[in-house]
Amino acid sequence: MVPGADLVERVLARVREHGGRATPARRVLLTVLLEGPAHRSAEELAAAVQAGAPDVYLSTVYRHLEELERLGVVDRVRGSHGPATYHLALSAHGHLVCEECGSVTEVPGEVFGGLAAAARDGYGFVVSPRHYAVSGRCAGCQP
Amino acid sequence: MVPGADLVERVLARVREHGGRATPARRVLLTVLLEGPAHRSAEELAAAVQAGAPDVYLSTVYRHLEELERLGVVDRVRGSHGPATYHLALSAHGHLVCEECGSVTEVPGEVFGGLAAAARDGYGFVVSPRHYAVSGRCAGCQP
DNA sequence: TTCGATGCAAATAGTTTGCATTCTA
DNA sequence: TAGAATGCAAACTATTTGCATCGAA
């Protein structure tokens, strides 16, 4: 049994609930998201999809990623340069995006807890639980 | 005396120190940055510049903004959609970017203090003091 | 058998680059 | 007067859109 196959089906069920349809292209993209590394760009994901399904177009991947983001299945992280990257939203966590090398470090959601509370209490601003992202320099890129 | 004119000259002095030159286009852009609202896109800034100096091109504005960012004079904030916005880096502060309406709420740097400490201690990641930016929904855009 | 999804092409937004000319230091 | 900055055009990257056709429900 392919690991995560049930997750793919669960997500597709959710897509159907929202009036969407379970198509081969979607199944492949979800499998790719599950199996490969996190934080890949739409283009990288499309390349991986195309390895198994050559005629799935980049625009289809964008369309699907956009929907999955709406459904809360994937997160989109936009660093200060370059394309946005996508990954499965398996748990609430934040991102430390290195402005030097572009690497993304995931940190548990609690690290952002104090900030989220202060933003809510002080400004009525509700921090999105899946879109934390702050810039800086990672351990390997200190001057 | 124009308020902030001395700041313009101080920045230009800094530009010269780094081998740059004080040109009219730069003077105008700095004045525009000082006088108008914060968090404008390159295009909006170019429009404001062109009101006074019609033949300053958008590409020149981009080039200058990039240099000012290197010098730490302006910050660049990239929301989840749309163009990056720029503003003077007058004090350490963070940004709450609304993913619904695109508005940017500034919050004092201390709000990010706990997060910055946790990132440094736990991951060796030094959060950039001027590039805090987290997404969510502002007070006016709650569902 | 209807309506959403796809293939494909083309358009768009934002930003960067190349190069001859102009101007600051 | 040397080298940086600019005007301008054009390239480029990331993303979105339009539309006829196809396929899932």
Side-chain angles (χ1 to χ4, degrees):
Chain A
M1 161 120 190
V2 179
D6 54 333
L7 179 53
V8 169
E9 294 310 319
R10 248 183 299 143
V11 170
L12 288 176
R14 180 120 172 244
V15 167
R16 273 193 220 98
E17 274 167 35
H18 287 257
R21 290 171 185 180
T23 62
R26 294 191 163 167
R27 232 174 270 271
V28 176
L29 175 57
L30 283 169
T31 307
V32 160
L33 281 167
L34 263 171
E35 294 183 347
H39 304 294
R40 280 173 291 173
S41 67
E43 199 145 13
E44 288 166 337
L45 290 168
V49 166
Q50 283 159 2
D55 51 1
V56 172
Y57 254 59
L58 182 55
S59 57
T60 300
V61 170
Y62 270 111
R63 280 192 267 233
H64 196 191
L65 286 171
E66 197 187 336
E67 180 186 41
L68 291 176
E69 197 194 1
R70 267 202 312 277
L71 295 180
V73 175
V74 304
D75 292 342
R76 172 188 155 119
V77 180
R78 228 182 161 194
S80 52
H81 293 289
T85 64
Y86 301 82
H87 63 90
L88 288 175
L90 295 174
S91 62
H93 63 270
H95 298 108
L96 306 177
V97 183
C98 180
E99 55 198 21
E100 191 66 21
C101 69
S103 70
V104 177
T105 305
E106 297 204 357
V107 299
E110 308 92 65
V111 171
F112 287 77
L115 166 61
R120 176 166 29 75
D121 298 346
Y123 304 90
F125 188 99
V126 177
V127 172
S128 164
R130 298 183 314 276
H131 287 98
Y132 305 128
V134 301
S135 301
R137 279 167 183 261
C138 72
C141 291
Q142 298 300 325
Chain B
M1 162 114 191
V2 180
D6 53 334
L7 178 53
V8 169
E9 293 311 320
R10 248 184 298 142
V11 170
L12 288 176
R14 179 117 173 247
V15 167
R16 273 193 218 94
E17 276 167 33
H18 287 256
R21 290 169 185 184
T23 62
R26 292 190 166 170
R27 231 174 272 269
V28 175
L29 175 57
L30 283 169
T31 307
V32 161
L33 280 167
L34 263 171
E35 295 183 346
H39 305 293
R40 280 173 292 172
S41 67
E43 199 144 12
E44 288 166 336
L45 290 168
V49 166
Q50 283 159 2
D55 52 1
V56 171
Y57 253 60
L58 182 54
S59 57
T60 300
V61 170
Y62 270 110
R63 278 192 268 235
H64 196 190
L65 285 171
E66 197 189 337
E67 180 185 41
L68 291 176
E69 197 194 2
R70 266 202 313 275
L71 295 179
V73 174
V74 304
D75 291 343
R76 172 187 156 122
V77 180
R78 229 185 160 191
S80 52
H81 293 288
T85 63
Y86 301 82
H87 62 93
L88 288 175
L90 295 174
S91 63
H93 63 270
H95 299 106
L96 306 177
V97 183
C98 179
E99 55 197 21
E100 190 65 21
C101 70
S103 70
V104 177
T105 305
E106 295 203 359
V107 298
E110 309 92 66
V111 171
F112 287 77
L115 167 61
R120 177 167 27 76
D121 299 346
Y123 304 90
F125 188 99
V126 178
V127 172
S128 164
R130 297 183 314 276
H131 288 99
Y132 305 127
V134 301
S135 302
R137 277 166 184 263
C138 72
C141 292
Q142 297 300 326

